Amino acid sequence: MKRRNFIQKAGLSAASLAATPLLANDRVEKKSQKTFSTKNIPIVICTWNCPNATAKAWEVLEADGLALDAVEQGVMMEESDIKNQSVGKGGRPDREGNVTLDACIMDHTGNAGSVVYLQNIEHPVSVARKVMEDTPHVILAGKGAEQFAYEKGFKKVDLLTEKSKNEWIEWKKESKYKPIINIENHDTIGMLAIDKQGRISGACTTSGMAYKMAGRVGDSPIIGSGLFIDDEVGGATATGMGELVLKTVGSFLIVELMRQGYSPQEACEEAIRRIVAKNTNYKDFQIGYLAINKAGEVGCYCLHQGFSYSKYTKEGQVEIKSDSYLNS
Ligand code: SD4
């Protein structure tokens, strides 16, 4: 079909669609009129025990700020914290000694931005936000993402700290490529927030699996896998062995289950069961899911014991331990 014909046909069908009342549109209409209890709002939650990150996000929410600003500024705290060796500066490198970062952000309107395999930039989440706001794209990768960051004024930073470098040199002696469950190898931060106006946003940022193959990208920056937000329903985020989350599109699955009426807790449990059903080697890995619905109800579930999340509400800051599929 010639391009002009195609455009004409597309235009025609778009016009006729607009003229015909659609059942799907009706459903969207009804959902958007739905009201939610605001007693749990505002709220911010994030994977693992990251009290500085949730406290920063809470500051934004309490000042009547946007959930989008809250999640960006919240996770930036971990990106700058060199003690967190799974995120941003201080992150563990790939097997060639390069720290490569993955991050994404998604707002209440369904907009999303992401960077993958980004080097030399301390705040990948902010570059992801620029991708979302200043480009027609969703994902920028590698050198292109780095170049874009410099054009937007981000500074070049050496992300490899002495500690992470020395551990990598030690690792190279045996070069065992075995992900360690829970033990320091997982601290990706996935954050979900609802602001005072009820707008929901999320962000996810990581240096990925320690000593991964050069070029490897995990679930964290992939919209639908490491993070998904739908302002009509809620949001979800993931941490752990990204390959298993990617293969089951975990965060999207959880949000869609909530859309069908699952509670956040039931949805996280079902997403973990999906991983168990599809991967015979599931016991070798840790996965943690965290979800929130529009009413600010939270769910959390993981494969192995040891996962927890941070929550900040009007009642203050708490760390909550997750239930697990396995008793170990
Ligand atoms: C990844 N999901 O790159 C990330 C790793 C992670 O805490 O969660 N680390 O697969």
Side-chain angles (χ1 to χ4, degrees), residues 48 86 185-188 206 208-209 216 218-220 239-243:
W48 306 105
S86 300
N185 204 357
H186 293 294
D187 252 334
T188 291
T206 190
M209 300 292 304
R216 181 264 187 188
D219 61 313
S220 306
T239 180
M241 185 66 182
E243 280 69 8

Side-chain angles (χ1 to χ4, degrees), residues 290-317:
L290 183 61
I292 195 163
N293 65 14
K294 279 290 282 180
E297 293 160 346
V298 175
C300 179
Y301 202 57
C302 57
L303 261 177
H304 287 268
Q305 287 177 354
F307 178 50
S308 66
Y309 69 95
S310 303
K311 177 167 94 164
Y312 211 129
T313 61
K314 285 172 265 201
E315 266 98 61
Q317 165 101 262

Side-chain angles (χ1 to χ4, degrees), residues 261-303:
Y262 283 56
S263 70
Q265 184 60 34
E266 289 165 345
C268 289
E269 290 179 18
E270 178 56 29
I272 290 286
R273 277 196 293 273
R274 189 71 59 90
I275 284 177
V276 169
K278 300 278 177 191
N279 298 276
T280 49
N281 60 347
Y282 69 90
K283 286 187 184 156
D284 296 340
F285 307 109
Q286 171 66 312
I287 301 289
Y289 281 124
L290 183 61
I292 195 163
N293 65 14
K294 279 290 282 180
E297 293 160 346
V298 175
C300 179
Y301 202 57
C302 57
L303 261 177

Side-chain angles (χ1 to χ4, degrees), residues 155-216:
K155 298 274 168 296
K156 184 168 184 168
V157 173
D158 183 3
L159 300 172
L160 187 61
T161 54
E162 275 308 298
K163 184 172 190 313
S164 289
K165 186 176 173 184
N166 291 337
E167 286 176 8
W168 166 65
I169 291 168
E170 203 46 43
W171 173 83
K172 276 207 299 181
K173 289 183 185 158
E174 285 196 44
S175 298
K176 264 198 199 144
Y177 193 46
K178 190 165 180 274
I180 315 160
I181 298 158
N182 274 332
I183 314 169
E184 290 178 22
N185 204 357
H186 293 294
D187 252 334
T188 291
I189 180 162
M191 181 176 275
L192 307 167
I194 307 180
D195 62 30
K196 286 185 183 170
Q197 312 300 318
R199 294 168 295 214
I200 179 163
S201 293
C204 191
T205 181
T206 190
S207 51
M209 300 292 304
Y211 320 131
K212 59 197 175 185
M213 288 175 69
R216 181 264 187 188

Side-chain angles (χ1 to χ4, degrees), residues 218-236:
D219 61 313
S220 306
I222 305 301
I223 300 301
S225 287
L227 176 77
F228 194 69
I229 301 292
D230 185 328
D231 199 63
E232 282 177 19
V233 178

